[in-house]
């Protein structure tokens, strides 16, 4: 039972680049946005190290610092930023109900979803150690590949993302091992063809990763052939994991149109969902690009769409 019910014009769920950009635009348009930051304030970028590809930071910036800057800019225009996690929604009526934790119920004229996605990990302790230390394990080749130029790296996964990232890495690195757990790739034929025909990509078939080595920095990976049991050590300085992402959209199931993997289906060219007044932005609706700058762009779109929706409804 909710203890507090509050009516807001614009509710933003999530605090990554999409959420903060939506907040900046919505606040400047006087929509008085309220943002709930979720379990991971600042989103995926708070777990990365240096960001070198976000325009406006010519010498690069640490991911957590960049998110502090986003937050400061949203606060400058008086976004009401709160701790709290959306646990349930009810999109039956013209006013959208969003339940925050156990005790708060928000009634919103517009909702901007910016709940993001989470990279899947193998779950090995050695993988997590280097991921959390930023010492050679990453789930984003486009973000971090540059740090490994001229070196040898490995990537796990056989889907389109892994194939695309392996070919991207192959341009920067001297050698890329692509570790595949079966004897075939899941990626589309075109992507498979590209990965298999890149001379400095070696596909390591039927193999699972046993351990990521390295004291301070990654210096190798041991893989085990699942058919023969044979162990092989790959000498690499970077270990990329590309085994899929999970969009954080569970609470919207049954309300919003989602694709077969859970991504919100937004109307192409807009942020509109199948529910009037509910807009989707960022990685929760994007399985292709997944960049901070594209998330920010769709956050901007969602705020502009919300503003137009409210104006058309005569809600001031
Ligand atoms: P996918 O789910 O398509 O592929 C995941 C890959 O990781 C599979 O090869 C899978 O192996 C492997 N994998 C999963 N878990 C493990 C594990 N624990 N250990 C080792 N390997 C594992 O994810 P993607 O991110 O590649 O793609 C997601 C969606 O986005 C797809 O629909 C894809 O087509 C789309 N996409 C499209 C792009 C484009 O059009 N340019 C670019 C990127 C993505 P297995 O096959 O054995 O299950």
């Amino acid at each position: 039972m909710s203890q507090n019910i509050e009516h807001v014009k614009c509710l933003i769920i999530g605090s990554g680049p999409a959420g903060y950009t939506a907040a900046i635009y919505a606040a400047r348009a006087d929509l008085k946005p309220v943002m709930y930051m979720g379990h991971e304030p600042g989103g995926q970028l708070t777990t990365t190290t240096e960001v070198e590809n976000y325009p406006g930071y010519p010498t690069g910036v640490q991911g957590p610092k960049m998110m502090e800057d986003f937050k400061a800019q949203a606060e400058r225009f008086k976004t009401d930023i709160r701790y709290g996690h959306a646990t349930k929604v009810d999109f039956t009526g013209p006013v959208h109900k969003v339940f925050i934790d156990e005790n708060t119920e928000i009634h919103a004229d517009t909702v901007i979803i910016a709940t993001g996605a989470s990279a899947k990990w193998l779950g090995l302790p050695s993988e997590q150690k280097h991921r959390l230390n930023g010492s050679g394990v990453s789930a984003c080749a486009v973000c971090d590949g540059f740090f490994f130029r001229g070196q040898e790296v490995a990537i796990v996964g056989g889907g389109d993302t892994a194939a695309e990232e392996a070919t991207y890495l192959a341009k920067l690195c001297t050698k890329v091992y692509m570790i595949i757990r079966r004897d075939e790739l899941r990626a589309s034929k075109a992507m498979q063809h590209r990965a298999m025909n890149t001379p400095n990509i070696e596909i390591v078939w039927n193999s699972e990763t046993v351990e990521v080595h390295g004291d301070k920095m990654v210096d190798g990976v041991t893989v085990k052939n699942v058919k023969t049991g044979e162990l092989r050590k790959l000498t690499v300085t970077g270990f990329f994991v590309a085994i899929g992402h999970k969009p954080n959209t569970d609470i919207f199931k049954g309300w919003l149109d989602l694709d077969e993997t859970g991504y919100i289906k937004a109307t192409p060219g807009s942020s509109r969902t199948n529910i009037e007044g509910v807009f989707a932005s960022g990685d929760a609706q994007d399985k292709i690009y997944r960049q901070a700058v594209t998330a920010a762009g769709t956050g901007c779109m969602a705020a502009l769409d919300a503003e137009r929706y409210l104006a058309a409804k005569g809600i001031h």
Side-chain angles (χ1 to χ4, degrees):
M1 189 68 178
S2 301
Q3 289 154 13
N4 311 309
I5 298 182
E6 185 184 354
H7 188 111
V8 306
K9 231 184 329 186
C10 178
L11 177 70
I12 299 169
I13 313 175
S15 56
Y20 279 127
T21 306
I24 293 161
Y25 274 77
R28 293 186 77 250
D30 207 25
L31 306 189
K32 304 196 168 38
V34 170
M35 170 193 280
Y36 279 94
M37 291 193 286
H39 280 322
E40 191 179 32
Q44 292 179 78
L45 277 167
T46 56
T47 59
T48 59
T49 48
E50 188 152 18
V51 180
E52 288 188 328
N53 56 5
Y54 198 91
Y57 290 102
T59 55
V61 60
Q62 294 292 307
K65 164 75 172 97
M66 185 167 109
M67 295 323 297
E68 277 170 28
D69 289 348
F70 270 67
K71 183 166 185 257
Q73 195 169 351
E75 279 172 334
R76 181 180 154 209
F77 300 110
K78 311 257 179 303
T79 304
D80 184 346
I81 300 173
R82 303 176 183 175
Y83 286 99
H85 186 71
T87 51
K88 198 169 80 163
V89 299
D90 177 345
F91 291 159
T92 338
V95 168
H96 309 301
K97 294 180 184 167
V98 178
F99 298 83
I100 308 293
D101 298 320
E102 299 305 312
N103 55 2
T104 303
E105 181 174 335
I106 304 287
H107 292 189
D109 296 314
T110 59
V111 176
I112 295 177
I113 298 168
T115 47
S118 306
K120 292 183 190 161
W121 297 97
L122 298 175
L124 299 170
S126 55
E127 167 206 56
Q128 291 306 303
K129 177 188 103 175
H130 286 292
R131 167 175 97 89
L132 296 170
N133 292 344
S135 49
V137 169
S138 164
C140 180
V142 178
C143 317
D144 298 325
F146 191 69
F147 300 117
F148 300 92
R149 60 196 183 281
Q151 301 170 40
E152 300 201 356
V153 298
I155 184 164
V156 183
D160 279 325
T161 303
E164 203 167 80
E165 297 202 340
T167 44
Y168 176 85
L169 289 167
K171 294 193 189 107
L172 299 166
C173 303
T174 47
K175 170 115 190 183
V176 180
Y177 296 96
M178 203 173 164
I179 304 166
I180 309 294
R181 65 178 172 182
R182 295 187 289 138
D183 55 6
E184 61 177 336
L185 298 174
R186 180 184 290 274
S188 60
K189 287 279 176 269
M191 287 309 300
Q192 287 191 27
H193 185 77
R194 217 186 300 169
M196 288 178 179
N197 288 288
T198 302
N200 59 339
I201 294 180
E202 177 185 334
I203 302 190
V204 184
W205 299 104
N206 298 310
S207 295
E208 62 183 32
T209 309
V210 181
E211 194 171 355
V212 181
H213 302 283
D215 188 15
K216 288 215 167 69
M217 302 297 288
V218 169
D219 61 18
V221 174
T222 294
V223 294
K224 179 178 166 190
N225 186 305
V226 291
K227 293 211 159 145
T228 63
E230 188 194 332
L231 295 175
R232 177 177 173 193
K233 184 162 179 194
L234 310 173
T235 306
V236 294
T237 49
F239 181 66
F240 291 85
V241 180
I243 60 171
H245 283 73
K246 186 182 180 311
N248 302 318
T249 55
D250 286 352
I251 60 168
F252 308 113
K253 266 184 204 148
W255 297 103
L256 298 184
D257 289 344
L258 306 178
D259 75 6
E260 65 289 349
T261 47
Y263 287 87
I264 299 170
K265 286 186 185 172
T267 307
S270 87
S271 67
R272 287 195 305 276
T273 67
N274 56 302
I275 302 274
E276 269 208 337
V278 177
F279 305 94
S281 63
D283 287 11
Q285 53 84 58
D286 169 24
K287 66 181 172 196
I288 309 285
Y289 301 104
R290 293 197 292 254
Q291 298 301 299
V293 70
T294 48
T298 54
C300 161
M301 287 165 64
L304 294 177
D305 287 342
E307 185 188 355
R308 284 176 196 148
Y309 169 84
L310 290 167
K313 292 273 174 201
I315 300 170
H316 301 292

